[in-house]
Amino acid sequence: NEIAGGQINTELLVCGSSIGQSHYHPEILSDMTGLSCHNISLSGTALATQFAVLKWYLGKNEPPKLVVLNIDLFHGDIEKSIYRPYRYLPYLNDDILFRGLSRIDNRLWLHKHFPFTNLLYRNKDYQKSVISHCLLRLQSRPDFLDRGYFANTRPRMGDRAANDFLQKNSSGFRYELTEPYLVLLEDLIQFCRSSRILLVLSLSPVKRELLMIETNRTEIISFYERLCLSRQLIFIDMSHSSLNDRDDVWVNMTHMNATGAEDFSRAFGSMPRKAAPSRVPVA
């Protein structure tokens, strides 16, 4: 609603998936940088959806000085469908958003003109979400997001899923960067440049157990370093931080809780804003 109403108009804008939504604390980043900050990351999204939302944002709000794009290494391809498409349903009359999302899934025109079809499209939690949001409205409960940031206070999710993943990939896990993803990333870079926005690519910390089985993280990081040097972008790699070894800050292997997000945001916000790759230890 804030995007659609042109109510944000921030100087520092954070984009990403659920990692971006729960790791970048706008209040702390504002205190550290002296810039107003808002987080428009959305859970379950990859680069194509994030780019569509960013274009929509800029069609309604003033351009920020900086866009921080949290790089999610698990999403090195273009998504084949839109996660929870009902979230965008009230705004599909906006041509910019509709065109951007339709490039991911051209079935979206059906949901624009026949909204009930959302019930049939990958929305097992649609009814639950509608009911829970209606109840929160009736109770006059405040929004659980703070300038788009989700303070993750959930307990640790346990080790079963993590152990299953680690066991399944005990011989090593490899990330991919597909050609369509690289083309879209270049489009995003050029779009920010034409909009006079400084683009920052950022890698968040991950739990140590995941780092130990990633066979090509160094290769992926080297790619982003070369890209940012050649395009005069900022690249901040905080994936090798002391937070990786702290059990008290993790909900699962890739998502930190509110305590970890606060420590991460303080370290991220203290980084000098220069067009050079950086690796940062987090105390």
Side-chain angles (χ1 to χ4, degrees):
N1 288 338
E2 291 176 340
I3 293 176
Q7 300 170 11
I8 299 178
N9 300 303
T10 193
E11 295 171 296
L12 193 163
L13 189 69
V14 179
C15 302
S17 62
S18 56
I19 296 175
Q21 190 176 55
S22 60
H23 286 190
Y24 296 80
H25 195 306
E27 183 177 356
I28 293 175
L29 291 175
S30 290
D31 291 342
M32 299 297 297
T33 64
L35 302 172
S36 59
C37 181
H38 207 98
N39 193 329
I40 61 169
S41 303
L42 287 165
S43 61
T45 62
L47 187 63
T49 301
Q50 293 163 18
F51 194 6
V53 171
L54 176 60
K55 285 182 174 180
W56 175 43
Y57 173 92
L58 291 176
K60 299 291 186 179
N61 296 264
E62 293 297 320
K65 294 180 179 178
L66 288 91
V67 166
V68 174
L69 177 67
N70 185 80
I71 300 296
D72 187 346
L73 296 188
F74 281 100
H75 292 156
D77 196 0
I78 304 300
E79 55 264 53
K80 301 299 188 296
S81 61
I82 299 169
Y83 180 66
R84 293 182 177 176
Y86 60 82
R87 296 188 293 194
Y88 311 99
L89 186 61
Y91 317 106
L92 292 181
N93 285 329
D94 185 282
D95 288 339
I96 296 176
L97 179 65
F98 182 69
R99 285 198 304 270
L101 295 178
S102 294
R103 291 192 181 100
I104 304 168
D105 191 337
N106 58 19
R107 292 176 295 176
L108 205 64
W109 70 268
L110 192 64
H111 311 305
K112 177 179 179 178
H113 299 290
F114 304 98
F116 67 88
T117 57
N118 272 268
L119 292 168
L120 309 175
Y121 178 64
R122 296 174 62 87
N123 282 319
K124 295 178 181 178
D125 58 349
Y126 175 76
Q127 298 90 336
K128 178 182 176 181
S129 296
V130 169
I131 292 171
S132 65
H133 280 78
C134 287
L135 289 174
L136 288 174
R137 286 295 184 183
L138 290 173
Q139 298 170 17
S140 299
R141 295 277 293 277
D143 194 339
F144 66 93
L145 297 177
D146 176 14
R147 289 186 252 177
Y149 162 70
F150 171 61
N152 199 335
T153 57
R154 291 175 293 188
R156 186 173 172 180
M157 293 182 177
D159 295 326
R160 181 175 180 180
N163 288 338
D164 288 346
F165 179 84
L166 293 172
Q167 183 176 1
K168 181 180 178 181
N169 296 280
S170 59
S171 60
F173 184 85
R174 183 176 180 83
Y175 295 110
E176 299 294 335
L177 293 174
T178 67
E179 187 63 28
Y181 173 87
L182 297 177
V183 170
L184 185 64
L185 181 60
E186 184 63 35
D187 288 345
L188 174 61
I189 292 170
Q190 296 305 322
F191 175 78
C192 288
R193 178 165 294 165
S194 65
S195 302
R196 299 177 181 272
I197 297 169
L198 179 58
L199 181 61
V200 180
L201 303 186
S202 174
L203 276 174
S204 294
V206 295
K207 210 163 186 299
R208 179 65 59 188
E209 290 91 326
L210 182 58
L211 283 176
M212 292 174 63
I213 65 169
E214 296 172 331
T215 60
N216 66 331
R217 174 175 283 270
T218 301
E219 176 186 333
I220 296 292
I221 289 174
S222 295
F223 162 77
Y224 283 114
E225 286 179 339
R226 293 193 305 271
L227 177 70
C228 290
L229 279 173
S230 65
R231 304 296 191 278
Q232 286 298 294
L233 309 176
I234 297 174
F235 177 60
I236 300 178
D237 174 21
M238 301 181 71
S239 60
H240 290 275
S241 83
S242 58
L243 288 169
N244 299 346
D245 298 312
R246 286 178 52 186
D247 287 335
D248 63 310
V249 300
W250 293 99
V251 174
N252 55 34
M253 287 194 297
T254 56
H255 294 75
M256 289 185 290
N257 59 25
T259 300
E262 290 169 9
D263 290 347
F264 165 77
S265 296
R266 290 189 189 96
F268 185 88
S270 66
M271 284 297 299
R273 296 187 295 279
K274 59 182 180 179
S278 305
R279 284 202 176 96
V280 187
V282 183

